[in-house]
């Protein structure tokens, strides 16, 4: 598949997901960034926006990574208003794409950039009135994969680094992945979820391959396992709230199922929940039509970040 076609698929997926997630929906926001396009790294897309809140004590922060198949999307799509109103600061970050830009690179480039975002935010905690011990991650689709990758990995702090940012921890308080593909293994996806046998064109540039056959090589399979969230769940994983916009059931899906549904199906959440439950990690799986409280995600976030009541945005 040509790069241009892959990028079109990614943008279609990204746009449809935004429309279904009110918290992420692009619109006219009430609040402007306190600090816009802050450079956190050396690559072309290594910039982030900061939305501070006025609190007497250091405020918790939610860091957002956008979706788009690691091929498109932008931090400016995120709506910070519901988060800020709850006394939680927001950081929305871009990261390297896997193709199409001067510094594009395959996995693990987007993940490494995003892990550095967590470290960079901690390095700026005092300046930005942020509590470095109360950090949550969220994102939709590709951004959710990034959030889980950081959260479930061992701490990536390097105390001996000559770069002071790299000395900070990447551990977080909780995560809220939305429409998250919890495995990137095409065989497992087809087995548990079904759908289009091409799975999604975004996987090919993500792993730097030209075909699914090439991705089945042993060295590439190691990368697939390394990139998949379900590989890294341990008993010290942070509390996790998974939210999906499609209902459970109907799997394995027929081959003519739209890719947007098959790659974001809540069966992915079931797979992750199995791992989290086995490890004894607190988790919630919310799907369309399950009758759960629409405010449950916000309640979960407030429970773990413990913000001050009704502050004003800065």
């Amino acid at each position: 598949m040509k790069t241009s076609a892959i990028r079109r698929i990614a943008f279609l997926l990204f746009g449809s997901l935004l429309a279904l997630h009110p918290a992420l929906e692009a619109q006219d926001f009430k609040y402007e960034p306190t600090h816009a396009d802050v450079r956190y790294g050396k690559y072309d897309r290594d910039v982030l926006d900061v939305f501070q809140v006025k609190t007497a004590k250091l405020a918790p922060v939610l860091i957002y990574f956008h979706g788009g198949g690691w091929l498109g999307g932008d931090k400016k799509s995120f709506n910070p208003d519901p988060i800020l109103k709850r006394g939680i600061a927001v950081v929305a970050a871009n990261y390297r794409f896997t193709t199409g830009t001067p510094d594009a690179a395959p996995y693990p480039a987007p993940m490494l950039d995003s892990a550095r975002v967590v470290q960079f935010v901690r390095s700026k905690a005092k300046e930005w009135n942020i509590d470095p011990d109360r950090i949550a991650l969220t994102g939709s689709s590709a951004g959710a994969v990034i959030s889980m990758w950081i959260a479930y990995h061992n701490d990536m702090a390097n105390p001996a680094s000559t770069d002071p940012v790299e000395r900070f921890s990447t551990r977080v308080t909780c995560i809220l992945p939305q429409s998250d593909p919890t495995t990137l293994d095409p065989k497992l996806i087809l087995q548990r979820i079904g759908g289009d046998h091409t799975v999604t064109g975004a996987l090919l540039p993500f792993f730097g391959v030209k075909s699914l056959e090439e991705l089945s090589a042993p060295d590439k399979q190691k990368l697939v396992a390394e990139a998949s969230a379900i590989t890294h769940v341990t008993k010290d994983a942070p509390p996790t709230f998974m939210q999906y916009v499609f209902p459970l059931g109907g799997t394995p899906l027929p081959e003519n199922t739209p890719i947007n549904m098959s790659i974001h199906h809540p069966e992915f959440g079931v797979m992750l929940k199995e791992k989290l439950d086995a490890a004894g990690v607190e988790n919630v799986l919310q799907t369309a039509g399950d009758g759960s409280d629409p405010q449950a995600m916000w309640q979960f976030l407030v429970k773990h970040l413990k913000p001050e009541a009704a502050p004003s945005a800065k």
Side-chain angles (χ1 to χ4, degrees):
M1 184 181 292
K2 292 183 179 180
T3 299
S4 59
I6 295 172
R7 289 178 69 88
R8 282 197 296 273
I9 291 173
F11 279 123
L12 286 172
L13 295 180
F14 179 60
S16 60
L17 281 171
L18 285 180
L20 291 168
H21 280 296
L24 304 181
E25 187 176 356
Q27 55 182 280
D28 293 329
F29 306 141
K30 178 178 178 181
Y31 302 115
E32 294 293 327
T34 315
H35 307 286
D37 294 323
V38 178
R39 180 153 296 280
Y40 68 84
K42 63 183 179 180
Y43 299 107
D44 56 340
R45 285 182 46 80
D46 286 356
V47 291
L48 55 79
D49 293 340
V50 182
F51 299 82
Q52 291 178 245
V53 287
K54 294 178 180 178
T55 54
K57 299 179 180 179
L58 297 178
V61 62
L62 178 68
I63 300 176
Y64 166 77
F65 301 108
H66 66 77
W70 307 284
L71 297 162
D74 189 88
K75 60 183 171 58
K76 289 182 170 53
S77 62
F78 186 63
N79 176 12
D81 295 4
I83 318 299
L84 297 172
K85 291 174 182 176
R86 287 171 169 83
I88 300 169
V90 170
V91 170
N94 286 347
Y95 47 83
R96 274 178 288 175
F97 290 150
T98 55
T99 188
T101 62
D103 289 332
Y107 174 83
M111 277 65 173
L112 295 178
D113 285 5
S114 301
R116 183 177 175 86
V117 169
V118 178
Q119 295 173 309
F120 186 80
V121 168
R122 279 200 164 97
S123 77
K124 295 285 190 178
K126 185 175 181 180
E127 178 182 340
W128 292 344
N129 194 44
I130 285 172
D131 186 344
D133 295 324
R134 290 185 291 164
I135 296 178
L137 305 180
T138 192
S140 181
S141 191
V145 175
I146 288 173
S147 297
M148 294 182 293
W149 190 91
I150 296 169
Y152 298 152
H153 267 74
N154 291 332
D155 196 342
M156 287 172 269
N158 180 5
S161 176
T162 57
D163 179 350
V165 172
E166 292 182 356
R167 301 173 197 160
F168 285 90
S169 173
T170 56
R171 300 296 288 169
V172 297
T173 303
C174 64
I175 59 172
L176 295 85
Q178 299 187 323
S179 294
D180 41 315
T182 58
T183 178
L184 301 182
D185 181 351
K187 294 179 182 177
L188 186 54
I189 291 172
L190 291 176
Q191 176 187 337
R192 288 289 298 262
I193 288 94
D196 192 322
H197 286 183
T198 64
V199 184
T200 173
L203 282 184
L204 303 184
F206 182 71
F207 288 114
V209 298
K210 301 296 184 182
S211 66
L212 290 179
E213 290 74 20
E214 187 180 348
L215 189 58
S216 66
D219 61 327
K220 298 300 183 183
Q221 283 296 293
K222 289 182 180 178
L223 288 181
V224 170
E226 161 65 22
S228 298
I230 60 173
T231 303
H232 302 287
V233 172
T234 60
K235 64 180 181 181
D236 63 343
T240 301
F241 190 105
M242 298 167 279
Q243 186 184 65
Y244 290 84
V245 297
F246 297 111
L248 267 173
T251 54
L253 300 169
E255 189 173 354
N256 65 350
T257 301
I259 287 179
N260 188 29
M261 175 179 284
S262 60
I263 203 61
H264 303 113
H265 194 276
E267 185 66 22
F268 280 110
V270 173
M271 296 167 66
L272 180 56
K273 185 171 180 56
E274 292 168 355
K275 296 283 187 177
L276 293 168
D277 285 347
V281 177
E282 178 188 352
N283 70 90
V284 178
L285 172 59
Q286 186 180 63
T287 67
D290 65 3
S292 59
D293 186 347
Q295 298 299 311
M297 183 176 69
W298 303 127
Q299 293 165 1
F300 180 91
L301 185 63
V302 168
K303 170 187 172 182
H304 288 285
L305 290 190
K306 299 178 174 60
E308 292 184 23
S312 59
K314 181 180 180 181

